[in-house]
Amino acid sequence: MSTQTEGYCLSLEEDLYKLEFKYYKARQSPPDLSQVLDVGKDAANFTWRQIEIGDNDSGINSTVKVCEVVSVPGLLLVPEAFTPEGLHRWTHRSLLDFPERPNVTNLETLPASVTRRIGESRVVLDVELRKKLRWTTLGYHHDWNSKVYDLANYTTFPSDLARCAAVFAEQVAGYAYEYQAEAAIVNYYPVGTTLSGHVDHSEEDLSAPLVSISLGCTAIFLIGGTERSTRPTPIFLRHGDVALMTGASRLAYHGVPRVFIEKGSFRNRHFDDSSQCRTTGKWETDAEHTSDEDEQLDQSVECKESICFSYLKKNRININIRQVHKPDI
């Protein structure tokens, strides 16, 4: 068996990215998570520094710890990057505001029986729409078929999210110019879903970092090199973590083979305390998160706060921000 990549074929044995992806995705034989890097305990696999961010209106902690993954030069992680208020803010923005028109979502591609309800209320307040929501795009709306940004297909990029991304790109990643956040995709991952390995190369300025914010359930982030024959590194990304792909890692294959509920991460905890939920990589099966009780809670919640908290317990949100054009120098 072989897989096609970059104009030539790799055997399955040579495509180490695919092999590792399948391993961590497996359902019948759950993977051993002991080899997944954890910023909370695997100090030898990271180089650390502390950065003073200072006062900001993005909900970012005034002082953050930044680590670079030794096996993936250029990949920077900022664990627990946000204050509780910041987590609250970006969760609400991702669920209550970003999926609304004129932003574009996957819901627009569904049958008319579904799309006609868009706009009748907020997407997240409609149980069926909320369950079907998978992505929304902001700013330049990427054409997934042509893999290009259409200059004619643009809506105003949220200014608060642009400021947040600029803090990480400039102060953490050291981007030398004024970072212009021009496009973002917000992915909504129910437990058990995946994101296939890919490379982001549609942007003009590949020196500008990708800024990725994680909210909700824990993910295994799998990142390799510029070739699929490079053995990838698995890393836990948790609620409130920020990843920045810079330098050599900017064009690395990356994906998400697993989204799961870590035991103790959100169970019986208040929303404002969720930033403290750093657990040990133990995980529950997909079946354990779909109890009748959870479903009844999902159906019965009336306030937006409860809906957001309920959603975070069973889903992951990833806000991935990028600069499309080269900087004005």
Side-chain angles (χ1 to χ4, degrees), residues 166-181:
V167 170
F168 289 111
E170 296 171 17
Q171 295 186 239
V172 175
Y175 185 60
Y177 306 101
E178 183 177 344
Y179 189 81
Q180 300 291 331

Side-chain angles (χ1 to χ4, degrees), residues 25-63:
K25 178 183 176 181
R27 298 287 179 265
Q28 297 300 320
S29 301
D32 176 7
L33 302 188
S34 65
Q35 298 304 306
V36 182
L37 298 190
D38 188 335
V39 295
K41 59 183 180 181
D42 298 325
N45 293 298
F46 306 95
T47 58
W48 290 85
R49 56 195 169 100
Q50 185 168 289
I51 294 179
E52 297 295 328
I53 298 296
D55 293 337
N56 62 88
D57 64 356
S58 298
I60 303 169
N61 286 312
S62 59
T63 301

Side-chain angles (χ1 to χ4, degrees), residues 31 85 87 119 125 146 173 175 198 207 209 233 235 274 320:
E85 294 77 16
L87 291 171
L125 301 182
S146 65
Y175 185 60
H198 64 284
S207 70
T233 299
I235 306 166
S274 60
N320 195 287

